[in-house]
Amino acid sequence: MTAESMRPDVAALTDEALVLVTNRGLVKRAVRMVEENPPDLSASIERIVARFADGVVTELPASLPFTDASCSCGASSACRHRLGLVLAYRSRFGTGVGGPDWTPGVFDDDLVESHVGVAAMRRAKRIRGEGYQATVHRPEGTDSIVRVELPHCTVRFLTPHDVGHTHSSASEHAPPESIALAVWAVRAADESGSDEVFVSSVAIIHDSAGISRAKVVARTILVDGLAGSSGVQHASAVRAARAVEAASTVWLADACAELSDQVEAYAARNARHDRVRVASLIAEIHARVQLGGATDSALAGMALGTETAGETPLRRSRLVGLGARVTATGDDVSVDVYFSEIDTDAVYLMRHQWLGELLTGHAVAGRRVAGTTVGALAASTIVTESAVRRANRSIRLGRRGIGKTSILPLGADAWANSAVLSSDYDDVRLRLTERRPSFARNRLLTDGVGIVSIDAVVDTDYSPAGQTSTVVVEDGKGRRAQIVVEHRAEAPDAIDAVLHAMSSGPRAVAGRMSVRSGQVCITPYSIACDLGVVVPDLAPQVGMSGLIRSAGEVDQDRVVDVVAGCLSTLADLSHRGLRFVSEADVVAIRGRADLSRSVGMKSTGLSLGHLADALAGDDLEASADAWVRAVLRLLVADELA
């Protein structure tokens, strides 16, 4: 038996795998130590022993992961000597183990239970009974790491055919059931042929009292309206949100909570109330409840978000800033700071709010959060051991803040190796247009946020009436995208900051992406250029207004205008309540139907016509069903317009 066959898991540990378990600096020191003074290495069936030049002896017994090796240096966790043992063993016996075709789905439950423990396995089975979503990322090229995105953490299988070297981003103090959940997810992906799966021990997600209550509350608001609402309506919405949350259907619960917030905002005459948003939420809740009863458990799970709710503390995380978005609502100001994980395509959001303070973005940039400023967080790489993650991709930092780790400012090429970066605008467009409608997919706060590279700036236009600047950019294949910046009081210098960055060697832009008129449209959160990383919403005055050229008013796409007008009309109906619809409302809806057909939206026009007929017939149930169908169709059109 060769030494390689004794510990193939150790031989297969790549540098990236070691970095995930420890950190890049420690791995570099270990590599330098082994290159300068290779240890005396001996290997047998029982153990691997490395004797280093500084007198330290490290021993790795059979079947244990390298992090559990004993080391005479006195370090209680992974150290350069433990890493040195792996590097020396790998150098001598090679890495020809496994490959991109291996799958953790081959691990049986007994093996997994021996690794995570009986209690963790019991918790994992309970979660599987409720159902959960997962995305499996297969290895590429010579890489052998399989990555599984769970709702609450990321699990990586670092070496082929060995469950011992499995890394979860959840803190070591969190229960280890995520490893079992990841194995089941890979097994389901292997069987289904799809890397996006819903894992459940039952075939169908059964309806529950909480889920039914969500639809009843949404229906009541639709029929009775908000205009004459009372505290009873708000209390019902709150109870529905709590009942749905208790059923562990987090996406439906999230929609219900947002609806109850909108009801409360209207009752308090708060500026955060939005009629169109209320209409969208009512239709979304109806859709998610209906999809939750589908025989396709994957579709049902995606709609309801059936999974473990709550927060998960993470291990040491390296997060790269993608900029920020400042939003003012009445007298309140909030800032959303976006981050990407260095080696995955996951994007996270950290939110902070100041009540009763009319702050501009530049003032917000100087406010301190988690031991540093908002401006530093938005344009830096941070390393933290206190991040806490929720299923909707929001994160917060615990009481320890960022800890002792330095915050490193981002340079112009900071995102060059990011998994979130895309250099092909057509790929981005296809990804956005081919995804499920918003009411049938995860309610992620970072949905649509990413990075695209910029090969050239083609044109810049400014609309004085709309106070909107549009920068047309190209990728390396000549495909175009639009970077659109609207003037907002809370970010008064954002347009100037974008134009300044676009005239200073732009490399890439991070922001929220959508599709308008068949072209990718980007709301910029930050821009990497020769100046570094510019965050428009947080920028000070840079005096570049002279660069804005007034190109004359450009007509907006008619489809966009028609969709917005139809949604506004239907939102007015739900605000007053369907039982209070007048003949004038029916006439207005028929007019919207004709207008929809005139721009080629025949199905939408037909749907609006059915709604008008139902309202004219004084059938509330039929009217409510027709209203929901019309709004859902308009929401899909709005996403793809």
Side-chain angles (χ1 to χ4, degrees), residues 244-269:
V244 175
E245 187 174 7
S248 296
T249 52
V250 294
W251 302 142
L252 181 59
D254 197 39
C256 290
E258 189 176 352
L259 179 60
S260 67
D261 180 68
Q262 284 290 319
V263 174
E264 180 183 25
Y266 177 73
R269 300 299 187 265

Side-chain angles (χ1 to χ4, degrees), residues 266-352:
Y266 177 73
R269 300 299 187 265
N270 191 290
R272 71 177 185 273
H273 171 69
D274 185 314
R275 292 188 183 190
V276 174
R277 187 58 191 153
V278 171
S280 301
L281 288 167
I282 292 172
E284 178 185 348
I285 289 170
H286 276 79
R288 288 189 183 275
V289 171
Q290 183 173 351
L291 291 172
T295 55
D296 182 348
S297 61
L299 176 60
M302 181 74 75
L304 295 177
T306 306
E307 56 171 76
T308 304
E311 299 179 330
T312 302
L314 301 180
R315 293 177 186 262
R316 177 187 291 263
S317 302
R318 187 181 180 195
L319 305 173
V320 179
L322 299 184
R325 181 73 167 175
V326 178
T327 305
T329 306
D331 293 337
D332 305 333
V333 173
S334 64
V335 62
D336 291 342
V337 183
Y338 294 86
F339 300 94
S340 68
E341 275 190 317
I342 195 67
D343 60 340
T344 74
D345 56 3
V347 177
Y348 301 107
L349 174 147
M350 185 186 300
R351 177 170 291 167
H352 198 80

Side-chain angles (χ1 to χ4, degrees), residues 19 134 337 358 376 389 425 474 504 586 615 640:
V19 168
V337 183
L358 294 175
R389 167 179 166 176
Y425 297 168
E474 276 186 350
S504 305
V586 175
L615 291 171
L640 301 177

